[in-house]
Amino acid sequence: MVRIRVLVVDDHRIFAESLAAALAAEPDVDVSAAGSGPAALRCLERAAAEGRRFDVMLVDADLGTVPGTAGGSANGALHGALNGTVNGTAAGQGPASASGSGSASAGGPVQVPVARAVPDHGEAALVDGISLVAGVRSSQPSVRTVVLAEKDDPHRAAQALQAGASGWVAKDCSLQRLLAVLRGVLRDETHLPPALLTGVLRELTAARKHRTESERLVESLTPREREVLRCMVAGLGRKAVAERLFLSPHTVRTHMQNVLGKLGVHSTLAAVALARRAGVGPVDLVPPLGNVVERGGQLA
């Protein structure tokens, strides 16, 4: 039997534990849980290092955006199914295993502990669900992601698909439906509720239009201005950009002003948002040694 390794990421502790334990009761599912984006990344990295990569990550669409109360956000059929499957998730029961993976035991319920972590420097952008999906898509593309949401939201669902999610599932769906989605995304299927299809297609079409316009604006920049823009996307300030590109601070300020003017925006934040829509990534923060040797100390 081929086993499916699932990571549940939800900052509502009881819901995360209940969902993980219900999935662990399936004979072909191994499951772990994490209560934050950084904790999820560490679970994925640790599993990859140990040669036991996860297959699917289930992510709460509202991860990091609501208080982590005791699972009160999930209602409906899925929540009811979990309550019927798991009857002992209160503190004091032991974890299913030391590794955090659960499997059904013959005489009673299973509790899967939720790994949590305080974000380190540079991890703050990964605390919300959609950003986590994008981060995992970039770092571990073999891991399929499915977003769990409390309500149908075409805009958020489209964002999730653009970030690399393979599915968007309502939290009030049945456990059987969720299992079908898990198995489907492993066959490279994309799963969306039928009621969301029209709205999501409309959102994706609009996003493509905005991206095309953003790409046109970025193409109007000179090569040097694009370099400066990539530094801005990386979060570098004027002095850091000057050191990075071997320019004077005055020259960098001029380039930045030109970038804002050509992009039609009034702030660095707006310029970065437009650049990301156009697919512009951050500059590599570690300059190649060859560039330093070739251009060392030269001002442009």
Side-chain angles (χ1 to χ4, degrees), residues 23-37:
L23 291 171
E26 296 296 314
D28 62 340
V29 177
D30 289 327
V31 62
S32 298
S36 71

Side-chain angles (χ1 to χ4, degrees), residues 4 57 69 73 129 156 174 183 196 223 243 266 268 276 289 300:
I4 304 172
M57 182 176 68
T69 55
S73 65
R156 292 279 287 164
S174 67
R183 296 183 174 106
L196 273 183
E243 293 175 352
H266 301 288
T268 297
R276 288 193 178 279
L289 182 60

Side-chain angles (χ1 to χ4, degrees), residues 111-300:
Q111 180 185 9
V112 179
V114 179
R116 296 180 181 273
V118 176
D120 290 333
H121 177 70
E123 291 182 333
L126 295 170
V127 295
D128 73 276
I130 305 303
S131 295
L132 178 61
V133 169
V136 171
R137 176 67 175 176
S138 174
S139 63
Q140 297 197 35
S142 64
V143 179
R144 272 71 166 187
T145 56
V146 175
V147 176
L148 297 175
E150 287 192 49
K151 61 182 180 180
D152 287 345
D153 185 335
H155 180 68
R156 292 279 287 164
Q159 285 184 322
L161 293 182
Q162 288 177 305
S166 297
W168 176 280
V169 181
K171 279 190 172 182
D172 62 359
C173 76
S174 67
L175 185 59
Q176 290 70 31
R177 164 65 179 163
L178 182 58
L179 288 167
V181 170
L182 289 178
R183 296 183 174 106
V185 298
L186 290 176
R187 297 191 295 267
D188 292 325
E189 299 172 359
T190 300
H191 284 258
L192 283 173
L196 273 183
L197 285 175
T198 299
V200 168
L201 289 175
R202 186 180 298 117
E203 289 286 339
L204 292 175
T205 300
R208 180 57 195 168
K209 180 179 179 181
H210 290 314
R211 179 182 175 91
T212 301
E213 175 64 13
S214 299
E215 289 172 343
R216 183 186 67 78
L217 291 171
V218 169
E219 287 173 358
S220 71
L221 302 178
T222 67
R224 175 64 83 191
E225 289 166 350
R226 290 180 201 171
E227 280 188 286
V228 171
L229 179 59
R230 291 184 63 210
C231 289
M232 294 163 67
V233 172
L236 300 181
R238 187 188 306 168
K239 182 178 179 181
V241 174
E243 293 175 352
R244 165 76 193 189
L245 300 181
F246 305 101
L247 302 174
S248 70
H250 175 76
T251 300
V252 171
R253 181 179 63 182
T254 300
H255 283 316
M256 286 184 166
Q257 290 174 342
N258 290 340
V259 167
L260 296 183
K262 290 183 179 181
L263 297 184
V265 297
H266 301 288
S267 69
T268 297
L269 186 62
V272 169
L274 187 150
R276 288 193 178 279
R277 284 200 301 272
V280 176
V283 69
D284 184 359
L285 295 180
V286 179
L289 182 60
N291 286 356
V292 175
V293 173
E294 178 183 348
R295 301 177 55 186
Q298 192 176 28
L299 295 179

